[in-house]
Amino acid sequence: MSAQVLHSTPAPVYDVERVRRDFPILTRMVNGKPLVYLDSAASAQRPRRVIEAVDQYETHSHANVHRGVHALSQEATEAFEGARDRVRRFINASSTREIIFVRGTTEGINLVAQSYARSRLGKGDEILITALEHHANIVPWQLVCEQTGATLKVAPIDHRGELIHEELEKLLSPRTKVVAVAHVSNALGTILPVKRIIDAAHAQGAVVVVDGAQAIPHARVDVRALGADFYAFSAHKLYGPTGVGVLYGRESLLAEMPPWQGGGDMIKAVTFERTTYNDLPWKFEAGTPNISGAVGLAAAMDYVDELGIENIAAHEQRLLQVATEALARVPGLQFIGTAAHKASVISFTLDGVHPHDIGTVLDAEGVAVRTGHHCAMPVMDFFRVPATARASFACYNTEDEIGQLVAALRKVREVFG
Amino acid sequence: MDLKDLYRDVILDHKRQPRNFGVIENADAHADGHNPLCGDRLTVSLRLNGDRIEDVRFQGEGCAISTASASLMTEAIKGKDRAAIHDLFTRVHTLLTDPGALPSPDLGKLAALSGVREFPARVKCASLCWHTLNAALARSAATVSTE
């Protein structure tokens, strides 16, 4: 025991005040009050590092990629392809051929739906999702079902907002061709056992698409360790720019898939009779991509790795615990989603007060939370609420801010009694 | 931005005790309204006597603004004909959206909604009931015209 103490090195202290100084927006006032930003699950703020990387690229290096022999085009291409390799390392993919830049998670899932699923599925085939999904992981599959005659199946959740894994397994069969699941629920924060789901799906021969939008800022994602066939995420949830995201796809699958959009950059040769498609990953990147967005995403990954995603996660879990305890003491507050394993997201309602009114009163106090159905209307229906208020915590939030949230909720009671 | 401007006593009163809450059985016209942004749902049902609204009820789940606005609306439109309701809707719409507009004196209690325009994200909450009413009236007009 004592030997262990002697040899253990002290855990690095997470200096949240220093982290906050990296985010210029956090110093601003909202409605005369210091901003308390608790809406990072909708979109995280950017550190100066990301803002400057994008600015540097726009100021010094911008041109179109993969096109010119001139210096700027080469610099832009290097920056863009360098960002691709940065992404590959961040999620531990085998090759940059597996990293496709898209507009965001939504486009990544639609790409798989329209290119992979639409070209293979037919009547009698099934697509399995869970009851926790964001609309972005429901509607693309409904479209494919309409187009192919395949059937959509939904694995249920329990009253805590946890997937009932046994029910999911019962729904898996050789008819299941695609399983599409969130890694973390955006509405409730539930962390899904994706490794277990992937193993079960693979045992039935299905491919698995993971919606990683809410997981990527909170945990180390290793696509090879997970065994995911496809993994999609957005840059702006990871402190990067909007309008850019990533679809990881297993190379053997991507190679067999038809392009889903045609245009420049995705071809090798075009005649009016025949077009030869480009190699991976460019086959799936028609048109001029979001170059500065990719540069910003790479800078965001550098930043996150510098802080250490495990350190960020530990900090967020502390905040989640403190906030859960503090909110439990607010009269009339009901938690929506109480899974054992949660990311730093708390969805709640207040008796007698609609979430929209909560949001407006909190905003007057400078506290930004999300209110509404969180693009997860089936989840709201399951819990029989029209909407919830949702506070989410990121690398820059503090325990003080939780105190301000609780104080602002007291104001809600003052207004509505 | 003052919360007291948005959540005036009249609004809070109608939120706590919505008037004309419920559904008219065998209504002459009804419509469902939905605000996908916040998940608010509203049903407006009408009993008509020719061109005139004899009775109106609303039901639904919504925030304080949408509930109070619907409650105030039902009180304001009862007994009025289509032309008068159209006129009233125009004036409420101006009140909710035009920053320079002063509440016209004959708006009565509806003037309590004038604080909403300082909160652009909430304008749709206040106007949902009116759009739903318009849908119900349009539907009844369509039915009449096909007969």
Side-chain angles (χ1 to χ4, degrees):
Chain A
M1 197 64 186
S2 59
Q4 268 181 346
V5 171
L6 282 174
H7 289 101
S8 69
T9 48
V13 178
Y14 187 88
D15 186 351
V16 68
E17 288 307 324
R18 220 185 104 194
V19 171
R20 288 181 73 78
R21 286 197 290 277
D22 295 334
F23 290 81
I25 205 168
L26 297 180
T27 59
R28 73 160 280 183
M29 308 288 278
V30 168
N31 295 320
K33 307 275 170 63
L35 168 66
V36 175
Y37 190 74
L38 303 180
D39 197 19
S40 299
S43 196
Q45 299 297 346
R46 285 81 161 125
R48 194 172 281 106
R49 165 89 66 96
V50 168
I51 297 165
E52 284 173 357
V54 172
D55 183 67
Q56 173 79 11
Y57 168 79
E58 303 283 15
T59 308
H60 296 284
S61 303
H62 172 68
N64 212 331
V65 291
H66 310 138
R67 279 164 178 82
V69 295
H70 59 77
L72 289 188
S73 178
Q74 287 175 41
E75 278 181 37
T77 303
E78 274 168 34
F80 185 64
E81 294 304 326
R84 195 190 305 278
D85 192 55
R86 185 69 190 84
V87 173
R88 181 197 65 74
R89 282 186 283 128
F90 195 81
I91 60 172
N92 194 32
S94 315
S95 157
T96 50
R97 290 188 295 278
E98 300 183 317
I99 307 297
I100 297 158
F101 282 119
V102 288
R103 279 191 297 149
T105 312
T106 299
E107 191 176 64
I109 295 169
N110 275 280
L111 194 163
V112 180
Q114 288 301 310
S115 172
Y116 179 84
R118 191 180 181 180
S119 64
R120 283 158 198 257
L121 270 56
K123 240 182 155 41
D125 290 333
E126 291 174 0
I127 298 169
L128 177 58
I129 64 174
T130 81
L132 278 171
E133 301 308 317
H134 186 283
H135 297 164
N137 208 20
I138 302 173
V139 184
W141 305 115
Q142 289 175 329
L143 288 171
V144 166
C145 287
E146 275 173 32
Q147 291 158 344
T148 62
T151 309
L152 189 69
K153 299 276 177 180
V154 184
I157 54 174
D158 65 15
H159 68 285
R160 293 154 61 96
E162 289 185 1
L163 175 71
I164 307 171
H165 189 83
E166 296 67 32
E167 296 295 323
L168 176 126
E169 291 216 358
K170 277 188 215 159
L171 288 167
L172 276 170
S173 77
R175 289 187 300 278
T176 315
K177 295 296 184 283
V178 175
V179 176
V181 292
H183 197 163
V184 171
S185 149
N186 74 305
L188 308 179
T190 310
I191 300 171
L192 283 88
V194 279
K195 173 80 179 120
R196 198 175 161 201
I197 295 169
I198 289 168
D199 291 345
H202 283 173
Q204 296 288 349
V207 305
V208 182
V209 188
V210 183
D211 168 357
Q214 294 294 334
I216 200 85
H218 302 301
R220 171 64 60 201
V221 171
D222 181 328
V223 290
R224 273 191 282 180
L226 281 176
D229 299 297
F230 298 99
Y231 195 101
F233 62 92
S234 304
H236 72 102
K237 311 272 196 207
L238 186 70
Y239 313 105
T242 52
V244 67
V246 171
L247 174 70
Y248 158 83
R250 195 190 287 281
E251 187 174 351
S252 55
L253 294 170
L254 292 174
E256 297 297 316
M257 284 159 56
W260 82 304
Q261 288 179 338
D265 228 21
M266 54 73 73
I267 50 85
K268 271 185 172 163
V270 176
T271 66
F272 287 118
E273 288 71 39
R274 190 162 186 280
T275 292
T276 314
Y277 303 130
N278 205 338
D279 297 326
L280 289 175
W282 305 289
K283 180 170 88 174
F284 292 106
E285 293 180 358
T288 299
N290 185 348
I291 309 165
S292 65
V295 168
L297 171 58
M301 289 177 164
D302 285 344
Y303 181 77
V304 166
D305 272 350
E306 211 171 274
L307 290 184
I309 196 139
E310 292 78 9
N311 299 329
I312 295 173
H315 172 71
E316 290 171 346
Q317 285 297 317
R318 270 195 303 278
L319 293 178
L320 177 66
Q321 194 186 337
V322 170
T324 304
E325 284 165 15
L327 292 175
R329 291 193 292 270
V330 173
L333 187 143
Q334 316 286 340
F335 293 107
I336 307 294
T338 49
H341 298 288
K342 273 179 62 172
S344 48
V345 169
I346 299 180
S347 240
F348 62 92
T349 59
L350 272 184
D351 290 348
V353 188
H354 190 280
H356 234 137
D357 295 312
I358 300 174
T360 293
V361 178
L362 261 50
D363 183 54
E365 297 297 308
V367 180
V369 297
R370 171 86 187 264
T371 58
H373 53 60
H374 316 292
C375 298
M377 288 168 84
V379 175
M380 301 294 111
D381 291 343
F382 177 82
F383 285 99
R384 295 176 191 281
V385 292
T388 72
R390 181 188 70 184
S392 51
F393 307 104
C395 70
Y396 39 65
N397 291 118
T398 66
E399 291 190 27
D400 271 359
E401 289 181 309
I402 294 166
Q404 282 158 282
L405 168 66
V406 171
L409 287 171
R410 239 175 266 138
K411 277 264 186 259
V412 177
R413 276 281 165 245
E414 278 172 31
V415 174
F416 292 99
Chain B
M1 174 166 134
D2 190 349
L3 281 179
K4 289 207 175 69
D5 236 25
L6 181 65
Y7 298 118
R8 295 179 192 183
D9 289 343
V10 177
I11 303 280
L12 292 175
D13 171 42
H14 278 256
K15 181 250 175 197
R16 287 188 193 113
Q17 290 165 333
R19 323 296 199 264
N20 303 305
F21 193 82
V23 180
I24 299 174
E25 295 297 326
N26 304 317
D28 295 312
H30 66 90
D32 298 323
H34 183 215
N35 180 351
L37 189 72
C38 53
D40 284 0
R41 286 171 200 277
L42 200 73
T43 301
V44 171
S45 49
L46 304 173
R47 163 124 29 249
L48 297 165
N49 183 356
D51 212 22
R52 205 166 287 279
I53 290 185
E54 212 167 69
D55 197 11
V56 50
R57 302 233 178 108
F58 83 99
Q59 194 172 52
E61 285 181 285
C63 63
I65 303 303
S66 87
T67 304
S69 180
S71 172
L72 289 164
M73 179 187 81
T74 58
E75 287 195 322
I77 63 172
K78 221 181 258 191
K80 287 199 166 61
D81 63 17
R82 283 173 193 267
I85 287 166
H86 180 75
D87 177 55
L88 196 57
F89 170 70
T90 310
R91 280 183 290 144
V92 169
H93 192 262
T94 306
L95 181 75
L96 291 175
T97 54
D98 182 352
L102 291 169
S104 48
D106 48 352
L107 269 178
K109 280 194 205 167
L110 288 168
L113 293 166
S114 67
V116 174
R117 64 183 176 220
E118 302 300 322
F119 298 80
R122 308 304 299 276
V123 171
K124 279 187 178 165
C125 309
S127 59
L128 176 65
C129 59
W130 287 92
H131 291 299
T132 312
L133 170 67
N134 283 344
L137 284 172
R139 198 174 290 171
S140 73
T143 314
V144 169
S145 70
T146 54
E147 276 175 358

